[in-house]
DNA sequence: TAAACGTGGCA
DNA sequence: TTGCCAAGTTT
């Protein structure tokens, strides 16, 4: 870490850590009694999904499946059904697959090493680092959308980070990470918490920010975002909308569902045909011999 | 590398 | 009302 960053890091730590101690939310997966498995489940659920929607579903999940082995003993379809309406149901499928790997290859235990976590289905760089840090107190570089935004503003002076994660952002996050394991884990969650509660994407609460006197973005007069255009996701009429409707029908059904009932929720038959095939290919839907379908058993 | 992948709340 | 955004991963 160069001297410039060393000074920056110290200034940020001195301001952010006391703020976090006061303002941290009491989330169930942060409580001391929460198992590493509970932390892993929370991290996968939180991918692209707000805390408020995750919380009740997470409670039901860890109550039903308190260990990887318990989930592995259920069907993937049960996992998808219990996913409810969190979105991206392939995450439920991957979490189930991860539970099977944990049971069969890791003694039913969630590993503490980032490199090992990274091999699990549905676990990418962020989730591996987050579980190592939050479940095991390890020193890992956690870079999520909150961290990227806080660093972009406070250190880089930009309104928002670039559309895609860059090497420079990872290097910056690594440079700011405290040496001590436990401190590093707290630092990671503190930066994320600031991004979630104060340094938000829209209408940041700069007046309440502990970094306001050192934030380079604020000191520059809070200039607007000037990077490459960010792609909004289309929704109406997309395959994603069509898939979502068909999976919802299967989630809500008690047994197998006829093809016509699935197609009835979408006006364009050619598109729903294609989407149903894709759902089967993805393993989210299981075809039976009699032209009926169900969640995978 | 960029596009696909769900869902709902908020400005 | 419409668009943006939420603790990303996979191909």
């Amino acid at each position: 870490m160069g001297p410039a960053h060393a000074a920056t890091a110290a200034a940020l730590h001195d301001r952010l850590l006391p703020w976090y101690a006061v303002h941290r939310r009491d989330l169930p997966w942060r409580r001391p009694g929460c198992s590493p498995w509970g932390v892993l489940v929370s991290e996968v659920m939180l991918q692209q999904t707000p805390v408020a929607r995750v919380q009740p579903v997470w409670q039901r999940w860890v109550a039903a499946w308190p260990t990887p082995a318990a989930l592995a003993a259920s069907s993937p379809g049960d996992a998808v059904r219990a996913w409810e309406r969190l979105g991206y149901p392939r995450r439920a499928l991957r979490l189930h697959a991860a539970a099977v790997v944990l049971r069969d290859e890791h003694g039913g235990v969630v590993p503490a090493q980032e490199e090992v976590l990274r091999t699990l289905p549905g676990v990418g760089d962020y989730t591996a680092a987050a579980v190592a840090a939050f479940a095991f107190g390890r020193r890992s570089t956690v870079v999520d959308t909150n961290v990227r935004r806080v660093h972009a503003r406070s250190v880089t002076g930009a309104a928002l980070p670039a559309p895609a994660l860059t090497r420079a952002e990872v290097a910056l996050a690594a440079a700011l990470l405290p040496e001590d394991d436990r401190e590093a884990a707290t630092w990671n969650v503190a930066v994320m918490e600031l991004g979630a509660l104060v340094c938000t994407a829209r209408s940041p609460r700069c007046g309440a920010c502990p970094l306001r006197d050192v934030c380079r973005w604020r000191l520059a007069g809070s200039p607007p975002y000037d990077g490459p255009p960010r792609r909004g996701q289309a929704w109406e009429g997309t395959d994603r909308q069509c898939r979502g409707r068909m999976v919802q029908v299967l989630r809500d059904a008690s047994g197998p569902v006829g093809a016509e009932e699935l197609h009835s929720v979408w006006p364009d038959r050619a598109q729903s045909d294609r989407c149903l095939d894709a759902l089967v290919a993805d393993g989210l839907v299981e075809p039976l011999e009699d032209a009926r379908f169900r969640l995978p058993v």
Side-chain angles (χ1 to χ4, degrees):
Chain A
M1 179 185 333
H5 274 158
T8 302
L12 297 177
H13 295 173
D14 291 350
R15 289 161 176 78
L16 184 53
L17 295 177
W19 174 89
Y20 177 69
V22 173
H23 297 280
R24 68 188 298 260
R25 289 169 292 178
D26 176 29
L27 301 172
W29 44 84
R30 284 183 185 165
R31 292 184 180 158
C34 183
S35 68
W37 169 242
V39 173
L40 173 58
V41 170
S42 79
E43 289 302 339
V44 174
M45 287 186 171
L46 286 163
Q47 293 167 1
Q48 301 285 283
T49 308
V51 166
R53 249 194 298 155
V54 164
Q55 203 154 191
V57 180
W58 181 87
Q59 298 281 7
R60 289 189 277 275
W61 257 66
V62 294
W65 300 303
T67 63
L71 178 58
S74 290
S75 71
D78 285 341
V80 171
R81 193 169 287 107
W83 200 252
E84 302 185 28
R85 301 182 62 81
L86 285 183
Y88 294 143
R90 287 194 291 193
R91 292 182 293 169
L93 227 43
R94 291 179 181 141
L95 205 39
H96 181 274
V100 171
V101 173
L102 291 173
R103 180 196 61 190
D104 294 344
E105 299 175 25
H106 298 278
V109 172
V110 176
Q113 306 91 332
E114 212 176 327
E115 322 79 64
V116 182
L117 286 161
R118 185 65 180 76
T119 68
L120 297 172
V123 176
D125 289 339
Y126 161 76
T127 302
V131 172
F134 306 146
F136 297 103
R138 296 284 182 101
R139 183 177 187 276
S140 64
T141 304
V142 179
V143 184
D144 78 328
T145 189
N146 289 302
V147 171
R148 297 184 64 211
R149 189 173 54 252
V150 169
H151 289 168
R153 287 178 181 157
S154 63
V155 179
T156 312
L160 293 171
L165 180 64
T166 65
R167 295 176 150 218
E169 290 180 83
V170 177
L172 173 58
L176 294 175
L177 199 64
E179 288 302 325
D180 177 69
D181 272 19
R182 189 115 206 105
E183 258 183 65
T186 303
W187 168 253
N188 279 321
V189 72
V191 177
M192 288 173 62
E193 195 76 335
L194 186 73
L197 298 180
V198 174
C199 192
T200 52
R202 287 172 296 187
S203 359
R205 303 169 50 216
C206 297
C209 182
L211 308 182
R212 62 185 176 279
D213 66 322
V214 293
C215 176
R216 287 198 46 196
W217 181 56
R218 187 128 193 282
L219 293 174
S222 308
Y225 175 71
D226 71 340
R230 322 171 134 271
R231 287 199 175 289
Q233 295 191 338
W235 176 245
E236 274 304 314
T238 60
D239 285 4
R240 284 217 311 278
Q241 186 183 28
C242 177
R243 291 165 55 108
R245 284 192 190 173
M246 291 198 285
V247 171
Q248 186 183 348
V249 169
L250 293 169
R251 263 198 321 259
D252 295 344
S254 50
V257 169
E260 291 319 310
E261 188 180 343
L262 288 176
H263 290 294
S264 73
V265 299
W266 195 253
D268 179 344
R269 178 56 185 254
Q271 186 178 11
S272 58
D273 262 328
R274 180 158 43 77
C275 286
L276 185 52
D277 285 347
L279 286 168
V280 171
D282 288 347
L284 274 166
V285 173
E286 198 169 273
L288 304 178
E289 306 76 31
D290 56 356
R292 293 191 301 164
F293 298 84
R294 67 183 177 192
L295 295 179
V297 171

